[in-house]
Each structure stands twice: as C-alpha cells, then as structure tokens.
Amino acid sequence: MKPIFLVLPLVALVACATPREACIRDAQRQVTLLNQQIATTQGNIDRGYALAEVQDIRTITTTCTGTNEDGSTFTFPCQETRTITRQEPVAINVAEERAKLADLIERRDAAAEATNARIQQCIAMHPE
C-alpha cells in the first residue's frame, strides 16, 4: 500500500501553480530527467557497479485477531504475504557507463538551450 497522504499535498501544490509556473515546469521536464539520469550514471561510475531494484515476496507468520459470535476477541497465528523491495549490486562496464555519461551530458546541454527558449516563451505568454 502506498502512502496516499504524501501524494495529496503534492497534487495540491501542482494545482496551485500559476499558468506561467506550470509552463516553465513543463519546459524544464526534459532537462530534469536528464539530470537524474546523469546523477545515476555518475553514481554507477563512482561505485563501479549499478544498483537494481529487486522485489522479494515473503510469507511472514504473525498474530491475527478475530471476533467470536458472542463479541469476544481472540488471537491466532496466521501468515501474511509481503513484498519487500531492496537494491542489489549489478556489474557494469565502466567504459560504457562513461560513454553513456558523455552522451547524457551532451543531450542535456542541447536540451538546456531549447529549454531556455521555451522558458522565454512561457514568460512572454504568461506575464505576471
């Protein structure tokens, strides 16, 4: 189960953005994604390995409660299935990661120029 209470304030903040702010955020989306990929790739190079998310399904014995017909409660052992996500090291080719990093930086620099032009359009379309 995902914590919905964390998502709702974010949705409320996005809904409160002015048209200008929304336009600028949309214009910056590609550069933001490329920056995240650059950070991940740089981390892989620094560590010498990548981290992959692995999900394990485990059955855990726990204590459950029930209610009798007369309204009294009782406890009994029961099993619960849980999915646990963990990170596992994965071997990488550091030379390929460096080439990937150089490509991502080049793409980000090109995207940044286009983003600046789109931001200027946003400012012109939505003056405050």
Side-chain angles (χ1 to χ4, degrees):
M1 187 167 126
K2 294 186 178 183
I4 268 199
F5 59 88
L6 293 176
V7 175
L8 290 177
L10 180 61
V11 171
L13 286 175
V14 171
C16 294
T18 65
R20 181 181 189 172
E21 291 168 340
C23 182
I24 290 172
R25 184 180 55 251
D26 289 343
Q28 293 173 329
R29 182 169 289 132
Q30 185 178 7
V31 172
T32 301
L33 291 174
L34 287 168
N35 281 334
Q36 290 170 347
Q37 291 175 334
I38 287 169
T40 299
T41 305
Q42 185 64 56
N44 292 346
I45 292 168
D46 293 345
R47 280 188 305 275
Y49 59 89
L51 294 172
E53 283 191 358
V54 178
Q55 291 187 338
D56 293 331
I57 298 174
R58 297 183 184 169
T59 303
I60 298 170
T61 302
T62 186
T63 304
C64 295
T65 59
T67 306
N68 291 320
E69 290 179 11
D70 65 358
S72 62
T73 60
F74 62 95
T75 59
F76 60 97
C78 61
Q79 293 187 338
E80 193 175 289
T81 303
R82 293 188 185 163
T83 302
I84 298 169
T85 303
R86 61 183 172 80
Q87 292 188 331
E88 186 172 277
V90 179
I92 60 168
N93 182 329
V94 176
E96 287 178 8
E97 287 291 303
R98 285 191 177 117
K100 177 181 170 182
L101 179 62
D103 179 57
L104 287 169
I105 291 171
E106 187 177 308
R107 287 174 45 203
R108 190 230 5 233
D109 293 345
E113 290 178 21
T115 298
N116 288 336
R118 287 187 62 202
I119 288 173
Q120 293 308 315
Q121 288 176 344
C122 291
I123 292 169
M125 287 175 22
H126 305 288
E128 289 189 351

